Amino acid sequence: MTTIPEAIRGIRFSVLDRSRTREGEEPGRALRDTVRLAREVEELGFHRFWVAEHHSVPGVAGSAPTVLAAAVAGATSRIRVGTGGVMLPNHQPLVVAEQFGVLESLFPGRIDMGLGRSVGFTDGIRRALGRDKEDADRFAEQLDELLGWFTGTQSTHPQVHARPAEGLRVPPYVLATGEGARIAAAAGLPLVIGDLRGRARVREAVETYRSAFVPSGWSAEPYVMVAGTVVVAGSEAGARRLLMPEAWSMAYARTVGVFPALVAPERIEALPMSERQRGLYEDGLRGHVYGTEEQVAEQLARAVEETGTQEVLVTTSTHDRGALLDSYRALARLAGLTRANAASRA
């Protein structure tokens, strides 16, 4: 049995699932598998389960995170459920407040509101959403309005109230991209930052966040969650193999402009790649936390010490669903997770 490193004792471990599609499968299966995975990781003792927002992406089925979060919350009983995240510039803050107000009313005390500042992936998607790149620059303003709908203090729209959100406490989290760390600090909100590969950059952002943090009615102290890929398998080579589908998807997206469904490692091994694709693909395999239980325990302890995180949000995607679940089971073992201790950390 793997000895739990002191550095990760008491650290929360959570899961973000992006509802990745697999080659040859209809998108609905990815969504149903997300709900099934949530039930599984709840039993393993993970602290929270989040879903993401992507629009017009062939490889991702999760386009409506609050709808999917409702399905996940309805299928589980204890694990916290939320979004990683709702991309606030794509939406009117009132509508987002109303959606989370409904979620919190249906599943009181279990809902998280993770918020990001990204806009649509391409000009065409942004036009379809009625947005443009500049809308991301209004994130801090939108965030302030959104929180005001919950507290009843928003003044942008007098005599308008978000029902049933007003008066409810749905914990907000800021996903850091660009200025996200400073925005989270100024708003006095918890920070979610990725990823485990860029430790120096993450550490710098975390230090900036902690030093600039202004206590708020939402959070009295800084709170940091670092996101990243973590894969545990019977061997280092086996774990590396599970990284291949996502690495290829990223390489393909950066050279072709389309983020594809996941394909099996044996298919990837037979694919012709341009020199640039090969370089991006190989780079996509580097820097993640992966290996045997013993190797991952050691790597995680180092990552926690280097980033100062209080929680690890695992974002792993791979083609083999069974191997993915086995990886989460092994991670739960090496981190000492149980349903009981996860509940005690809530």
Side-chain angles (χ1 to χ4, degrees):
M1 182 175 179
T2 302
T3 301
I4 303 170
E6 191 61 37
I8 64 174
R9 290 183 186 275
I11 293 291
R12 288 171 169 168
F13 284 85
S14 299
V15 173
L16 167 66
D17 190 73
R18 290 178 293 151
S19 303
R20 291 287 273 115
T21 58
R22 273 74 175 175
E23 186 179 45
E25 294 179 358
E26 48 91 19
R29 176 165 181 190
L31 297 171
R32 293 188 293 272
D33 281 331
T34 290
V35 176
R36 280 193 284 269
L37 180 61
R39 288 197 294 262
E40 296 281 0
V41 300
E42 177 177 61
E43 290 302 314
L44 292 172
F46 286 84
H47 182 64
R48 65 182 99 237
F49 188 94
W50 283 5
V51 295
E53 175 182 340
H54 296 273
H55 297 283
S56 190
V57 179
V60 181
S63 57
T66 53
V67 177
L68 185 53
V72 168
T76 55
S77 60
R78 185 272 312 159
I79 196 168
R80 296 196 63 85
V81 176
T83 55
V86 165
M87 296 299 122
L88 193 52
N90 290 337
H91 310 280
Q92 290 295 334
L94 170 62
V95 175
V96 175
E98 290 173 335
Q99 290 172 344
F100 279 96
V102 169
L103 283 170
E104 177 64 20
S105 298
L106 290 171
F107 309 101
R110 292 181 57 208
I111 301 301
D112 298 325
M113 184 169 59
L115 305 162
R117 65 188 294 268
S118 297
V119 291
F121 184 65
T122 65
D123 287 339
I125 296 171
R126 288 190 287 271
R127 284 195 297 270
L129 291 169
R131 298 292 186 267
D132 56 41
K133 286 183 177 181
E134 287 68 36
D135 284 303
D137 297 332
R138 297 182 52 245
F139 178 69
E141 173 189 336
Q142 288 183 305
L143 179 63
D144 183 65
E145 180 186 335
L146 172 61
L147 299 180
W149 288 116
F150 285 93
T151 60
T153 59
Q154 72 80 30
S155 57
T156 306
H157 305 282
Q159 300 181 343
V160 181
H161 300 270
R163 309 292 188 198
E166 189 171 308
L168 297 181
R169 299 285 296 181
V170 182
Y173 296 77
V174 172
L175 279 63
T177 57
E179 288 297 302
R182 294 185 183 278
I183 292 171
L189 300 180
L191 174 72
V192 185
I193 187 166
D195 61 3
L196 289 167
R197 302 175 75 194
R199 306 283 173 80
R201 180 186 58 80
V202 169
R203 184 66 188 176
E204 181 180 352
V206 168
E207 289 174 353
T208 296
Y209 163 73
R210 290 189 184 280
S211 65
F213 185 85
V214 179
S216 71
W218 296 98
S219 186
E221 298 177 344
Y223 187 84
V224 176
M225 191 187 317
V226 174
T229 295
V230 180
V231 176
V232 191
S235 67
E236 183 176 353
R240 187 178 188 276
R241 190 170 180 80
L242 295 179
L243 298 172
M244 291 169 59
E246 188 72 9
W248 168 244
S249 288
M250 293 298 296
Y252 187 88
R254 291 181 63 183
T255 52
V256 179
V258 176
F259 194 68
L262 295 168
V263 298
E266 54 268 25
R267 278 261 293 117
I268 296 169
E269 289 170 335
L271 288 172
M273 297 186 195
S274 67
E275 184 177 347
R276 181 162 184 259
Q277 282 180 330
R278 176 65 65 180
L280 290 169
Y281 168 68
E282 293 293 341
D283 184 61
L285 295 170
R286 298 187 187 99
H288 301 290
V289 173
Y290 73 96
T292 64
E293 288 190 35
E294 292 78 9
Q295 288 172 320
V296 169
E298 181 182 339
Q299 292 173 40
L300 278 173
R302 188 162 58 249
V304 168
E305 290 171 343
E306 290 175 354
T307 63
T309 189
Q310 291 147 280
E311 183 170 347
V312 176
L313 181 65
V314 183
T315 62
T316 308
S317 296
T318 193
H319 183 270
D320 186 333
R321 293 180 177 87
L324 178 62
L325 182 54
D326 286 344
S327 177
Y328 281 123
R329 287 174 178 143
L331 176 58
R333 282 195 302 271
L334 70 87
L337 304 186
T338 67
R339 185 183 174 97
N341 70 27
S344 71
R345 296 177 192 169

